[in-house]
Amino acid sequence: MHELYLAGRILDILEASRDVLGGRRVTGINLKIGTLQMVDVPSLDFGFSVTAKGTFLEGAKLAVEKVDPALKCSKCGALAPPVPLVPPAADGCAPCAPCASCGGREGMELVNGREFQVESVEVEEVEDRDKKGRP
Amino acid sequence: MKIEIKKDALDGNDRVADETKRWLDGRGITGINMISSPGSGKTTILEKTIARFAAKAPVAAVVGDVRSRLDADRLERAGARATQIETGGACHLTAARVRQALESMDLDGVRLLLIENIGNLVCPAAFRLGEHFKVAVLSTPEGADKPEKYPALFAAAKVVLMNKTDLLPHVDFDMKRAADGCRRWNPDAVIIPVSATSGAGMEEWFRLLEDTLSKR
């Protein structure tokens, strides 16, 4: 449901980056989206097509790379996907999973899975346009 | 040809949220963002919370709904300085809307700000509002599988209130499964079973809030 809002922010980001684009036509936008953002890609495509209509981004295609969530061990720094929980340990520790790398129970912090990053854009070479422009 | 951009689309909202958090810090106010599905009992929990805390210092409340100011009226009657945000359709609050509401309020002497988000388990989780922490409410009739089905909220919430425990004899709700589902995404989640109606477990929630306020 928040795909339309996010489509608007893609437009904002690229509007602010227009000098980097140097007036070249944008044909594609590469996004990295964490699966915890719960973004529905067809809805995002639709929202973007409506939002971009009549702007310099009209017709650009979105390419989405999904990023899975990862937890980082605060003891050894190892990254691990969230796993099904183990039963409470004999030492009475709350039912939290130990780090798979070091066995530590110092806590795991969610580090990946919440991003909505505009990674890069695909632009038309200026020469390409010249060639296409000729009869 | 590829041109690198590397900018996060939620940065704009996060920037306003960070500003709001600093703004609240400067006034010694602790902000809480409460999120749940519609009908889980957020407003009743907040009424009881306001009744407990408003005697010590004024409590501010910002309430989001698609339409009506029913909830702001309830929180005002409970003793809060309440502002209603009617989104007219949007399914979540944004940092900018909350900031606008806060700027219109009298926050003199306020120590506690309660933000009641739109009833929705999906979108509100993506938007920080400037709060110090998020509280998720899951009520027993909704079912214990919700943290597994809507992980974004339960990964982001520091506190989970399992509400309507007074209905446990009548509904099929596995408390352990619900708690495990929360901890799968957030091993440090503080999970408190409560009944806002009967008052059971509410003291533990009030103590957590009191501890948070006294440390600031």
Side-chain angles (χ1 to χ4, degrees):
Chain A
M1 284 274 291
H2 54 298
E3 284 81 0
L4 189 62
Y5 171 93
L6 292 166
R9 302 294 78 72
I10 296 173
L11 206 73
D12 288 348
I13 285 176
L14 294 178
E15 185 72 54
S17 310
R18 266 180 109 154
D19 47 337
V20 189
L21 304 176
R24 283 167 290 215
R25 201 173 80 85
V26 176
T27 55
I29 300 169
N30 301 313
L31 304 168
K32 253 191 190 168
I33 305 180
T35 52
L36 284 178
Q37 282 296 350
M38 309 228 165
V39 168
D40 176 58
V41 175
S43 303
L44 182 67
D45 274 331
F46 174 70
F48 181 75
S49 70
V50 172
T51 312
K53 204 166 180 144
T55 76
F56 73 109
L57 292 175
E58 182 166 354
K61 293 271 168 287
L62 303 182
V64 175
E65 183 190 333
K66 294 267 183 157
V67 182
D68 284 328
L71 298 171
K72 186 178 175 187
C73 173
S74 49
K75 188 179 177 195
C76 74
L79 289 183
V83 290
L85 284 157
V86 296
D91 61 7
C93 180
C96 57
C99 169
S101 288
C102 71
R105 288 174 180 273
E106 274 74 2
M108 307 285 280
E109 184 200 357
L110 188 73
V111 287
N112 292 344
R114 310 180 66 83
E115 47 282 271
F116 190 103
Q117 178 110 343
V118 179
E119 276 295 299
S120 59
V121 292
E122 307 291 339
V123 296
E124 216 171 48
E125 301 284 353
V126 178
E127 299 80 40
D128 291 350
R129 193 165 46 185
D130 284 353
K131 274 177 221 153
K132 278 184 200 152
R134 278 180 212 126
Chain B
M1 183 179 138
K2 187 176 283 202
I3 297 179
E4 200 170 88
I5 304 287
K6 289 208 180 293
K7 279 192 187 143
D8 201 284
L10 286 161
D11 274 359
N13 183 74
D14 284 352
R15 217 174 307 122
V16 179
D18 287 341
E19 263 175 43
T20 301
K21 194 173 171 193
R22 279 195 297 274
W23 192 77
L24 292 173
D25 282 338
R27 285 164 177 72
I29 299 173
T30 301
I32 287 160
N33 178 3
M34 190 171 275
I35 305 176
S36 77
S37 47
S40 68
K42 285 187 297 302
T43 314
T44 308
I45 291 173
L46 292 176
E47 283 175 327
K48 301 283 168 92
T49 307
I50 290 160
R52 166 60 73 101
F53 283 83
K56 291 171 214 158
V59 176
V62 173
V63 192
D65 275 298
V66 170
R67 194 159 174 217
S68 90
R69 50 168 295 121
L70 292 170
D71 282 359
D73 287 345
R74 281 177 62 183
L75 298 186
E76 230 162 52
R77 279 197 297 273
R81 298 178 190 168
T83 296
Q84 179 81 45
I85 298 175
E86 287 186 72
T87 65
C91 51
H92 58 270
L93 292 177
T94 59
R97 288 297 294 267
V98 170
R99 184 59 191 264
Q100 213 180 2
L102 289 175
E103 280 171 357
S104 73
M105 295 173 77
D106 171 17
L107 295 176
D108 240 21
V110 168
R111 305 262 345 259
L112 180 61
L113 164 67
L114 304 167
I115 305 169
E116 181 179 346
N117 220 309
I118 314 252
N120 178 344
L121 287 178
V122 185
C123 313
F127 296 86
R128 286 170 43 214
L129 306 175
E131 73 273 8
H132 291 84
F133 61 92
K134 288 184 179 65
V135 177
V137 180
L138 172 61
S139 64
T140 57
E142 292 171 66
D145 55 356
K146 293 303 169 289
E148 291 159 70
K149 292 165 97 170
Y150 300 92
L153 169 61
F154 295 94
K158 177 183 154 178
V159 179
V160 182
L161 300 178
M162 303 281 188
N163 192 28
K164 305 192 188 177
T165 52
D166 53 310
L167 296 182
L168 278 174
H170 312 288
V171 294
D172 180 18
F173 183 83
D174 180 346
M175 187 65 76
K176 186 181 178 304
R177 180 175 175 191
D180 284 355
C182 296
R183 293 211 172 94
R184 177 175 182 212
W185 297 96
N186 178 5
D188 300 324
V190 178
I191 297 166
I192 309 177
V194 301
S195 165
T197 304
S198 78
M202 291 293 280
E203 282 304 320
E204 196 181 339
W205 157 240
F206 296 153
R207 255 198 312 277
L208 183 146
L209 267 184
E210 262 158 22
D211 280 355
T212 311
L213 292 176
S214 68
K215 280 185 194 129
R216 288 173 53 78

